[in-house]
Amino acid sequence: LLEYKLDIMGLSEIQWKDSSEIKTQNGNFIIFSGVIEDKEHRYGVGFLMNKEARKSLMEWTSVSESIILARFKTKIRNLTIVQCYAPIEMTDKDMKEEFYQKLSETITTVRKRDAIIVMGDMNAKIGPNNEGLVYVMGRHGIGNMNENGKLFSELCASHDLTIKGAVFPHKTCHKVSWVSPDNITENEIHHIAISRRFSSLLDARNKRGADIGSDHHLMVAHFRFKMLAKED
């Protein structure tokens, strides 16, 4: 967060239980949503934000261990961000449909005048073929669309969202978000989608230098939003 001068960072697979807000030692803040009753530490999503972004935070909702929603006040219009951790490709189809139904219901609750960002580890390959989806994605995705990619693109189409990672013609090495342990397989499975009518995205790509001992790369998007601190 500090090295790349980010205001807000979405986190997937935190593996913390319950939901809460934590202030870090250097004054930043984490809000998170995890499993409630299960003894196993699994899934979990959240946001890490700096002090300025925390001041603009209006409200947040723990939807499930895979979905969290946060609403921020900005100079342009209020901004709602939904952070996700979608089921992997091999997951049972019913579980996938349950996740996307819950995600769709969550997006529906967002106020109509808010700009919306849906992002996270979607485990979805969307590929470069945007036939019939020209308003949803560009032609710069990598790989071939899988079932998760189909579900994600259909969700974006139904809520008028654009998947921005496939819009910018970056080199493949700047699109990859996951690398297999043997360093052979590379996929673009993390995505950032934003309301098409409110889009103010300047760029979206990975940052390979953000090493946290994970096989996932940090995906960074720059938006033209100016945060405003809420008045108490």
Side-chain angles (χ1 to χ4, degrees):
L1 186 80
L2 298 176
E3 181 180 352
Y4 288 99
K5 298 179 180 180
L6 305 177
D7 295 311
I8 302 168
M9 182 186 295
L11 307 172
S12 296
E13 218 172 348
I14 294 180
Q15 299 184 5
W16 290 350
K17 296 181 66 177
D18 301 323
S19 61
S20 185
E21 177 176 346
I22 297 173
K23 185 176 182 179
T24 67
Q25 292 182 343
N26 58 6
N28 295 320
F29 294 84
I30 298 175
I31 55 176
F32 66 93
S33 175
V35 294
I36 299 176
E37 298 179 352
D38 200 322
K39 293 182 180 180
E40 183 181 356
H41 289 253
R42 58 194 180 97
Y43 308 136
V45 286
F47 294 101
L48 171 63
M49 65 194 84
N50 60 26
K51 290 178 285 188
E52 289 70 26
R54 175 61 183 84
K55 291 177 182 178
S56 71
L57 178 65
M58 302 171 70
E59 58 183 315
W60 67 279
T61 304
S62 168
V63 179
S64 71
E65 66 271 19
S66 300
I67 302 173
I68 187 172
L69 177 150
R71 190 166 184 249
F72 298 88
K73 188 174 184 62
T74 78
K75 187 175 182 179
I76 301 174
R77 63 178 62 247
N78 293 332
L79 169 67
T80 294
I81 307 178
V82 183
Q83 173 70 18
C84 311
Y85 177 50
I88 61 175
E89 179 70 5
M90 292 81 75
T91 302
D92 179 78
K93 186 175 181 180
D94 290 340
M95 293 183 64
K96 291 183 182 181
E97 291 179 351
E98 181 181 353
F99 167 81
Y100 274 99
Q101 177 64 31
K102 176 65 71 174
L103 178 55
S104 180
E105 292 172 355
T106 301
I107 297 172
T108 302
T109 66
V110 176
R111 292 167 175 80
K112 299 298 182 183
R113 290 185 56 81
D114 281 18
I116 305 173
I117 296 174
V118 177
M119 65 184 191
D121 183 353
M122 307 307 299
N123 282 299
K125 295 192 291 183
I126 61 172
N129 183 4
N130 67 347
E131 183 177 354
L133 296 168
V134 292
Y135 294 114
V136 174
M137 53 184 275
R139 298 185 58 84
H140 298 288
I142 61 174
N144 297 311
M145 182 177 287
N146 59 7
E147 183 181 20
N148 280 353
K150 185 174 182 291
L151 290 170
F152 182 52
S153 60
E154 289 176 349
L155 172 104
C156 291
S158 64
H159 292 284
D160 200 24
L161 302 171
T162 301
I163 305 169
K164 289 299 186 180
V167 171
F168 298 97
H170 289 301
K171 296 179 180 179
T172 298
C173 65
H174 294 154
K175 300 177 185 177
V176 171
S177 61
W178 176 80
V179 181
S180 63
D182 58 9
N183 290 318
I184 295 177
T185 304
E186 297 182 331
N187 284 323
E188 182 184 17
I189 58 175
H190 301 69
H191 298 285
I192 300 171
I194 185 171
S195 312
R196 185 163 63 93
R197 60 187 177 131
F198 298 141
S199 180
S200 57
L201 183 64
L202 304 178
D203 192 19
R205 54 160 291 184
N206 71 23
K207 296 293 184 181
R208 301 172 72 93
D211 184 10
I212 57 169
S214 171
D215 52 5
H216 298 261
H217 291 312
L218 172 67
M219 303 301 294
V220 174
H222 294 283
F223 298 88
R224 190 179 289 111
F225 284 107
K226 182 175 177 60
M227 296 294 186
L228 293 177
K230 61 183 179 180
E231 297 180 0
D232 296 327

